């Protein structure tokens, strides 16, 4: 029965992604600007005062958290969302400078809330958050993973290290938020290799507790001419013969794998 199931496994890329828990690249949404974004030193805000060009323009936020606003002087804006800044500027201008001012504030450039992404991603480096952002969004902005065997992702936050798995990250409710100052590291994955008479030979992500049957299943099953009484594993230079036929019949326990194992299945 198990042998028949292995032979019947689908052999298409979408099913392989589903088996490994890896979403297609276009399923990761990019972060978008949130009205809750609180500006900080290094950001540049754009301010429009309707009908008043002398007040309108772009203003960098200094290290003291203020902008130098024409005719007014320094105005503290750091830590505030743009609607609150617009409200404060409306109050200031309405009290001393203009009648019924209409003020609109946006963010021209994001440079205050940085996260760093390193390791096995296509575009490692710094990103600047534009609002509430998740780890999957950050990884998507970094071009996605470059190593199909990655299983673990690490976040360093204020001296604390947070770990999650790629499998957990891609399940509903498994994504996690990232915050300014986070350092995200994607280490090289651990792999096992399934070679020979399987439908999809190659490297597979190793997960703790992974078995021979699971590896063959993830390789999309045995090929039509697989020789199931002729299976061996190379491990640290040693050759281990495995009686796959007896495992499939339930006459022996499934064989536990280790990272780096190379599984060879001959053809008859």
């Amino acid at each position: 029965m198990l042998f028949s199931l292995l032979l019947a496994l689908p052999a298409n890329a979408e099913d392989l992604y589903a088996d490994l828990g890896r979403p297609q690249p276009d399923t990761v949404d990019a972060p978008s600007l949130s009205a809750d974004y609180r500006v900080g030193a290094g950001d540049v805000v754009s301010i429009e005062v309707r009908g008043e060009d002398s007040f309108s323009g772009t203003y960098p936020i200094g290290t003291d958290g203020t902008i130098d606003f024409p005719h007014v002087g320094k105005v503290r804006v750091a830590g505030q969302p743009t609607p609150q800044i617009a409200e404060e500027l409306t109050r200031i201008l309405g009290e001393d400078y203009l009648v019924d001012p209409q003020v609109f504030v946006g963010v021209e450039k994001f440079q205050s809330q940085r996260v760093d992404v390193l390791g096995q991603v296509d575009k490692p480096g710094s990103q600047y958050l534009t609002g509430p952002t998740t780890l999957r969004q950050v990884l998507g902005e970094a071009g996605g993973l470059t190593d199909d065997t990655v299983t673990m992702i690490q976040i360093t936050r204020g001296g604390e290290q947070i770990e999650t798995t790629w499998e957990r990250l891609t399940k509903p409710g498994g994504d996690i938020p990232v915050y300014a100052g986070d350092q995200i590291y994607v280490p090289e994955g651990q792999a096992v290799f399934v070679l020979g008479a399987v439908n999809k030979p190659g490297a597979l992500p190793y997960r703790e507790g992974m078995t021979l049957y699971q590896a063959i299943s993830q390789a999309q099953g045995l090929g039509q001419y697989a020789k199931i009484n002729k299976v061996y594993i190379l491990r640290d230079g040693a050759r281990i013969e495995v009686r796959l036929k007896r495992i499939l019949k339930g006459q022996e326990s499934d064989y536990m794998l280790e990272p780096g194992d190379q599984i060879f299945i001959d053809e008859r």
Side-chain angles (χ1 to χ4, degrees), residues 157-239:
R157 179 178 298 160
E160 177 188 4
Q161 189 167 93
I162 302 165
E163 290 190 346
T164 188
T165 63
W166 177 256
E167 186 176 14
R168 185 184 309 131
L169 190 64
T170 54
K171 288 182 177 178
D175 205 356
I176 59 177
V178 295
Y179 301 101
D182 282 355
Q183 294 182 321
I184 299 162
Y185 177 60
V186 183
E188 290 183 0
Q190 295 180 314
V192 297
F193 304 85
V194 186
L195 306 171
V198 290
N199 289 315
K200 189 73 174 180
L204 297 171
Y206 171 80
R207 295 182 176 87
E208 189 171 350
M210 191 174 191
T211 67
L212 177 61
Y213 176 76
Q214 290 171 343
I216 295 173
S217 297
Q218 289 187 25
Q220 299 187 14
L222 296 166
Q224 184 177 359
Y225 301 106
K227 197 173 182 179
I228 60 174
N229 61 344
K230 191 72 172 179
V231 176
Y232 60 92
I233 298 172
L234 286 183
R235 177 181 295 168
D236 298 327
R239 174 172 166 148

Side-chain angles (χ1 to χ4, degrees), residues 52-55 59 68-74 92-93 96-97:
E52 299 290 340
D53 291 343
S54 63
F55 289 104
Y59 302 91
D68 193 5
F69 199 54
H71 311 298
V72 176
K74 289 187 177 295
I92 293 171
L93 293 175
D96 299 316
Y97 300 94

Side-chain angles (χ1 to χ4, degrees), residues 1-226:
M1 176 65 74
L2 288 175
F3 180 57
S4 300
L5 287 173
L6 285 173
L7 285 174
L9 285 171
N12 58 72
E14 290 77 10
D15 288 332
L16 178 59
Y17 269 97
D19 289 342
L20 300 184
R22 296 181 183 281
Q24 300 292 343
D26 61 359
T27 65
V28 181
D29 297 327
S32 57
L33 173 61
S34 167
D36 295 330
Y37 179 82
R38 295 178 180 273
V39 301
D43 287 339
V44 178
V45 293
S46 61
I47 299 173
E48 179 190 355
V49 181
R50 185 68 54 83
E52 299 290 340
D53 291 343
S54 63
F55 289 104
S56 300
T58 56
Y59 302 91
I61 302 174
T63 55
D64 60 354
T66 67
I67 58 172
D68 193 5
F69 199 54
H71 311 298
V72 176
K74 289 187 177 295
V75 178
R76 176 166 293 280
V77 297
Q80 301 177 44
T82 53
Q84 186 175 332
I85 297 171
E87 184 179 331
E88 176 65 9
L89 291 176
T90 299
R91 182 191 66 78
I92 293 171
L93 293 175
E95 286 181 354
D96 299 316
Y97 300 94
L98 302 172
V99 177
D100 192 23
Q102 298 181 52
V103 181
F104 305 90
V105 180
V107 182
E108 181 77 15
K109 189 178 293 185
F110 298 89
Q111 294 188 140
S112 69
Q113 299 187 27
R114 190 180 84 180
V115 297
D116 295 313
V117 188
L118 303 171
Q120 307 303 304
V121 293
D122 187 51
K123 295 180 290 186
S126 298
Q127 295 181 27
Y128 294 95
L129 305 183
T130 62
T133 307
T134 68
L135 180 55
R136 274 193 64 191
Q137 289 174 326
V138 168
L139 294 175
E141 285 292 293
L145 307 184
T146 58
D147 182 351
D148 286 340
T149 66
V150 165
T151 56
M152 186 67 64
I153 300 168
Q154 302 168 346
I155 301 175
T156 301
R157 179 178 298 160
E160 177 188 4
Q161 189 167 93
I162 302 165
E163 290 190 346
T164 188
T165 63
W166 177 256
E167 186 176 14
R168 185 184 309 131
L169 190 64
T170 54
K171 288 182 177 178
D175 205 356
I176 59 177
V178 295
Y179 301 101
D182 282 355
Q183 294 182 321
I184 299 162
Y185 177 60
V186 183
E188 290 183 0
Q190 295 180 314
V192 297
F193 304 85
V194 186
L195 306 171
V198 290
N199 289 315
K200 189 73 174 180
L204 297 171
Y206 171 80
R207 295 182 176 87
E208 189 171 350
M210 191 174 191
T211 67
L212 177 61
Y213 176 76
Q214 290 171 343
I216 295 173
S217 297
Q218 289 187 25
Q220 299 187 14
L222 296 166
Q224 184 177 359
Y225 301 106

